[in-house]
Amino acid sequence: MAHEFLVKDIAFQAGLSVATVDRVLNDRPGVRKQTELRVRAAIRELEKQQAGVEIQGRKFGIDVVMEAPDRFTDTVRDAFESESTTFLPTIFRSRFHVAETMRPQDIVQILDRARLRGTDGVVLKAPDVPEISAAVARLEQSGIPVVTLVTDLPNAPRTAYAGADNRAAGETAAYLIGERFAGHSATVLATLSSSRFRGEEEREIGFRRTLRDRYPSIGIVEISEGLGRDDATGALAAEALSNNTGINAVYSIGGGNRAVLAAFAAAGRTCSIFVAHDLDAGNLELLRKGQIQFILHHDLKADVRTAFRAIMGRRGALAAQGVARLSAVEIITPYNIPPPTR
């Protein structure tokens, strides 16, 4: 199997032992087809990361662990690939462990394996539950920095949080919807992917508090545990619309937006204003079509830079940067969509 990488680098990227990778590369017997495919995929990933990198500096191998819908993890991958070249001559190689749904024990297993195998840092998007916080503590106690991404684990001794002020984002959504109805009665469907994510909980708290304080004539119907997937979120939205004839607005905290809009259409109902999060391809299409009115956006590339700097700082490769700033929340309309940067 032709390649230009050290066996240990391929092993790190594939999550396999050096001995196993050596057996694959030298076509020795006793190797499962799945293992061979993992090695091939690791080499392809290394080739992508190496493309365009001419200056060889210090290398950091990090693990990115995320429970999130594919549309979001794809956007995060793009951000990591884009920003990895901005720190030259330092090189970041990221190994991704992502799935739309992960049990807490599965995430803990990934984190513990990374700690035992060795890694320069972990970037983590995960539910705020005690067993995951304990695994983060074990990593930090071993000298491995953990940066939480987009959603925080405030009870865990993580090195840094990289993301937006989620409570301010929820307050912004409440302002946009509240001003739209100008004192008239309305009912907002607030959709969370899961109450286990602290970031989504913070958005919901900010949203609910601002409506209560400034727009008391607006009510809220909340659905949760659709995990950002269209099938589950759509079913929950359809049930909510059936049970609440006054719902006429949406604040999408956790995704599944096409399915929510489809539920409105199937019920013959109108959504007067739809506020969502994240500039992924699907949301951009809905924004351009006028089916979403506002997208609350923060720059994932800035979050990635925050994560890289935090890891470099803990590894002694960067002077102390102080407390990282939260990403700014931007209100995106069809008229101010940021241009593509890749």
Side-chain angles (χ1 to χ4, degrees), residues 197-214:
F197 290 102
R198 178 58 67 97
E200 292 192 12
E201 181 184 32
E202 291 290 323
R203 291 174 184 176
E204 191 272 342
I205 290 171
F207 183 70
R208 188 178 292 274
R209 183 180 64 186
T210 302
L211 286 186
R212 183 183 65 243
D213 293 346
R214 296 191 56 165

Side-chain angles (χ1 to χ4, degrees), residues 91-173:
I91 298 170
F92 279 90
R93 286 180 171 166
S94 305
R95 178 171 54 211
F96 291 88
H97 314 264
V98 301
E100 291 202 320
T101 58
M102 303 170 80
R103 298 176 303 172
Q105 56 265 42
D106 295 332
I107 296 174
V108 168
Q109 186 178 59
I110 292 170
L111 297 177
D112 284 339
R113 283 179 176 173
R115 173 174 55 85
L116 295 172
R117 181 190 61 243
T119 180
D120 289 312
V122 172
V123 179
L124 177 64
K125 179 187 180 297
D128 182 17
V129 295
E131 53 265 52
I132 293 177
S133 292
V136 170
R138 290 192 291 273
L139 283 159
E140 290 281 350
Q141 289 165 3
S142 299
I144 297 171
V146 178
V147 180
T148 53
L149 181 70
V150 179
T151 182
D152 202 6
L153 301 175
N155 297 316
R158 81 291 188 274
T159 291
Y161 164 67
D165 184 333
N166 284 304
R167 192 164 297 201
E171 293 166 347
T172 302

Side-chain angles (χ1 to χ4, degrees), residues 60-83:
F60 291 93
I62 65 174
D63 288 86
V64 182
V65 184
M66 292 189 293
E67 179 185 348
D70 290 342
R71 57 182 171 269
F72 182 74
T73 58
D74 289 345
T75 304
V76 172
R77 280 179 183 268
D78 289 343
F80 271 87
E81 290 175 5
S82 172
E83 293 308 301

Side-chain angles (χ1 to χ4, degrees), residues 1-20:
M1 192 180 300
H3 66 91
E4 57 176 315
F5 306 104
L6 297 175
V7 173
K8 67 177 183 180
D9 289 340
I10 300 172
F12 177 87
Q13 194 69 36
L16 299 168
S17 69
V18 170
T20 298

